[in-house]
Amino acid sequence: MPHKPCRTPVVLSADAGGHEPAIRWIHDGCPAGHPRLMARHTRHSNLTPWIVTALATALTGVAGCTPDATSAQSGTRTAPTPGAAGIGDTLHPGLGNGGYTVRHTDLALRFAEDLKTYTATTTLRGRATHALSRFDLDLTGTTVRSVTVDGREATWTRTGQELRVTPADPVPDGRGFSVEVTVHAPVAGPEEAEKLGTSAIGMVRAKGVVQTINQPSGAHRIAAFADHPAQKAPTTITIAAPSRVNAIANGELTATRREGVYTVRRFESRHKLAPELIQIGVGHFTVVKRRGPDGIKLRHALPTGQVNDLMPQLDTVVPKALRFLTRRLGPFPLRTYGIYATPLGGELETQSLTLLATEELTKEGMEANGSDTIVAHEISHEYFGNSVSPRRWSDLWLNEGHAVYYQGLWSQEAHGTDPADAMKSAYRDATAQLRKQGPVADPRLGAFTPKDMAPYGWGAYEGGALVLYALRQKVGEATFQRIERAWVAEHRDSTAGTADFIRLASRVAGRDLGPFLRSWLYSTKLPAMPGHPDWHTS
Ligand SMILES: [Zn+2]
């Protein structure tokens, strides 16, 4: 997820039990559970990264969170009606769009010579789930140049983050259709980078390179999308940029051609790609290819001039982290993986192309400075969040809880830390944190500022990891591993939510885990931790 660089120093204090020091960070915009916090922590201490906690986002009052619409029933033979403005996500009611499914997304970008502006054409191929008189895409900012449906000019209006498209003729129920939207926009300047960690930014040009920081709701600031993970689709990204710079995006480079002083590159993500996980890189960098474990194609984009310094670190950590995760979780969900290292960074799990700050790749090496734990966290997202995407944003704990959990296991293997220490610390903080933000799987929108960053906070990160640790304590390591492997295998390249996880865990364990898991997921007062009757929560 996107993160604002943390500049505030740590405050050390003895914990209530008089044991080892608890480490806290003054919150300066970094969400709780911030992997960068964890890495910083490992530089200053040999304690497990899980001990690090951030002060929670201040409460701003509970806001209304009524979904503005729900998808209409498929297959009804009624007069054409408008598609809903959203898919019924209570935390992000405007994201995604009702009335159709998305089968493929195509994004074609052409940058100006100075990289300060661009033109973007999005082509969505969809299928109507009811007869549509009109339908929406998500779009904020930008100037709309044209909108067509099946090649014919369409009329359109804009309201809030919705682009409302009325085709020349209604789209019949069940019919496939194609909508093409062209926009022109500035690339956000370096001043936008200051919002890192506190806002979904979209595309930004900072310190000489273009990059994207979309999570959770910034993609539709770049171009028109159905901007919800539940509507992810195989995606083609084409970047036309001046030949003096390089370009990279998610997926595999499948075509390159010259057009005068421009080079056009096409990247294919055959696996479904949510707009929030799109990465667009343009600038002076070099792409280095490697053969990874199990035939995974590795390609890293590194600042030209720093390749010789940075590659040895990636050559050490990335294959090791991939082997670590595939050993526990089964086959890697992608054929391609790599790191896009930029001066700004952001530590973001953009699919198949993790965004990482070059400052994490210091000379002493990633395992010495602790940034290897960030890489393990972000690679685990390729399973949790990218391949298995959340059905609704309240399911975010399934992304971040898992990433924190496996980051802790990596830390145990690579640095000898004990995950139980971190979990004990998190458990102690749990009640106070959950009272502010709401239960792990039912966060309160009003607790997040700004609301478009909901539900990134303690509950999704440490709270989610605590739920998984409790489950592991309840069913034992062997059954827990079977649950985890089944989860990523059965929902691979798909979307799934909290209820799906409870069902799958119960089935694999051979007993009803519903009451147990719900007591952890939907309460602000957590139950006793199995196997640790001496643990206490505030
Ligand atoms: Zn994460």
Side-chain angles (χ1 to χ4, degrees):
M1 77 146 297
H3 302 300
K4 180 182 178 182
C6 306
R7 290 180 289 272
T8 311
V10 291
V11 177
L12 298 177
S13 62
D15 72 3
H19 302 118
E20 60 199 5
I23 296 180
R24 288 189 177 276
W25 290 75
I26 301 299
H27 182 70
D28 67 350
C30 299
H34 184 325
R36 184 192 290 268
L37 288 176
M38 298 170 182
R40 287 290 180 278
H41 162 72
T42 57
R43 284 175 198 167
H44 298 294
S45 158
N46 60 2
L47 301 177
T48 168
W50 283 1
I51 292 175
V52 178
T53 59
L55 296 180
T57 306
L59 277 169
T60 56
V62 178
C65 51
T66 305
D68 62 351
T70 55
S71 299
Q73 294 295 312
S74 175
T76 52
R77 294 182 183 178
T78 55
T81 54
I87 61 167
D89 191 314
T90 54
L91 293 175
H92 290 281
L95 293 187
N97 300 284
Y100 62 93
T101 57
V102 183
R103 303 168 71 196
H104 186 267
T105 300
D106 186 293
L107 174 65
L109 291 155
R110 176 169 288 269
F111 287 86
E113 176 70 30
D114 60 5
L115 303 182
K116 291 183 177 176
T117 61
Y118 66 91
T119 300
T121 298
T122 312
T123 307
L124 295 189
R125 283 197 286 114
R127 184 174 295 280
T129 55
H130 66 85
L132 289 168
S133 57
R134 61 172 168 80
F135 57 87
D136 285 11
L137 283 87
D138 301 313
L139 182 66
T140 290
T142 78
T143 301
V144 176
R145 289 272 175 83
S146 67
V147 181
T148 64
V149 176
D150 291 333
R152 298 172 67 191
E153 192 175 339
T155 57
W156 53 271
T157 58
R158 299 185 68 170
T159 174
Q161 66 185 55
E162 302 298 315
L163 175 69
R164 198 145 282 171
V165 178
T166 303
D169 294 312
V171 181
D173 181 17
R175 177 74 61 84
F177 67 96
S178 173
V179 54
E180 183 179 290
V181 179
T182 298
V183 303
H184 183 75
V187 178
E191 67 283 356
E192 279 294 300
E194 292 300 312
K195 297 178 182 173
L196 189 61
T198 61
S199 181
I201 292 174
M203 189 188 297
V204 64
R205 178 176 45 82
K207 301 183 179 179
V209 296
V210 172
Q211 63 179 64
T212 54
I213 303 172
N214 295 337
Q215 203 168 55
S217 56
H220 65 274
R221 299 177 189 201
I222 299 172
F225 288 109
D227 191 7
H228 195 287
Q231 289 186 300
K232 67 179 182 176
T235 298
T236 304
I237 298 173
T238 307
I239 302 174
S243 298
R244 62 182 169 78
V245 293
N246 208 339
I248 196 165
N250 318 77
E252 296 185 42
L253 176 65
T254 56
T256 303
R257 69 176 190 275
R258 293 293 291 263
E259 283 184 4
V261 297
Y262 271 60
T263 299
V264 183
R265 295 175 177 84
R266 188 179 69 207
F267 300 87
E268 296 279 358
S269 289
R270 294 182 178 85
H271 296 286
K272 294 172 185 171
L273 171 64
E276 54 123 354
L277 297 171
I278 285 176
Q279 184 55 256
I280 307 291
V282 182
H284 292 287
F285 52 77
T286 299
V287 176
V288 181
K289 295 179 181 174
R290 291 284 192 268
R291 199 75 181 167
D294 302 326
I296 299 167
K297 295 182 208 168
L298 299 177
R299 48 94 177 86
H300 306 298
L302 305 170
T304 301
Q306 290 182 265
V307 172
N308 290 340
D309 287 340
L310 304 185
M311 267 315 293
Q313 299 171 50
L314 295 180
D315 279 339
T316 301
V317 171
V318 171
K320 205 185 282 186
L322 285 166
R323 278 189 213 98
F324 170 81
L325 289 165
T326 54
R327 202 164 64 233
R328 280 160 182 76
L329 297 168
F332 193 62
L334 301 168
R335 292 163 48 182
T336 302
Y337 179 73
I339 284 175
Y340 177 32
T342 72
L344 178 62
E347 283 60 273
L348 185 62
E349 67 270 26
T350 41
Q351 190 161 307
S352 80
L353 191 60
T354 294
L355 183 64
L356 193 68
T358 49
E359 69 179 31
E360 303 295 353
L361 301 162
T362 53
K363 278 195 166 52
E364 68 266 33
M366 300 176 82
E367 285 170 304
N369 72 22
S371 56
D372 61 322
T373 67
I374 298 177
V375 172
H377 178 108
E378 304 303 347
I379 295 180
S380 73
H381 273 310
E382 299 294 356
Y383 293 89
F384 303 106
N386 298 5
S387 177
V388 186
S389 295
R391 197 179 291 284
R392 294 292 182 270
W393 277 109
S394 56
D395 299 317
L396 180 66
W397 73 274
L398 287 162
N399 301 13
E400 298 300 347
H402 275 110
V404 171
Y405 188 87
Y406 285 92
Q407 182 177 1
L409 293 186
W410 166 269
S411 189
Q412 181 181 31
E413 179 158 303
H415 302 286
T417 57
D418 183 353
D421 291 341
M423 290 293 91
K424 182 178 182 180
S425 176
Y427 186 78
R428 187 179 55 216
D429 296 339
T431 300
Q433 293 287 357
L434 296 176
R435 278 191 183 136
K436 291 174 187 167
Q437 297 188 355
V440 169
D442 188 20
R444 282 196 300 267
L445 180 61
F448 298 90
T449 306
K451 289 184 175 58
D452 65 5
M453 286 304 290
Y456 281 87
W458 191 96
Y461 285 79
E462 279 82 358
L466 267 178
V467 173
L468 295 168
Y469 184 79
L471 176 61
R472 184 250 183 218
Q473 291 293 100
K474 176 83 171 173
V475 302
E477 178 64 20
T479 301
F480 180 75
Q481 285 194 21
R482 288 208 314 277
I483 290 170
E484 293 287 271
R485 292 173 79 97
W487 176 250
V488 297
E490 294 182 23
H491 296 289
R492 184 182 174 120
D493 203 22
S494 185
T495 54
T498 301
D500 300 306
F501 187 81
I502 293 172
R503 267 194 299 275
L504 180 141
S506 298
R507 194 196 76 226
V508 173
R511 55 175 160 154
D512 182 9
L513 291 167
F516 173 79
L517 283 170
R518 280 191 287 274
S519 70
W520 281 83
L521 289 163
Y522 293 104
S523 171
T524 54
K525 175 74 176 170
L526 296 184
M529 179 62 79
H532 294 291
D534 57 319
W535 287 13
H536 300 288
T537 185
S538 53

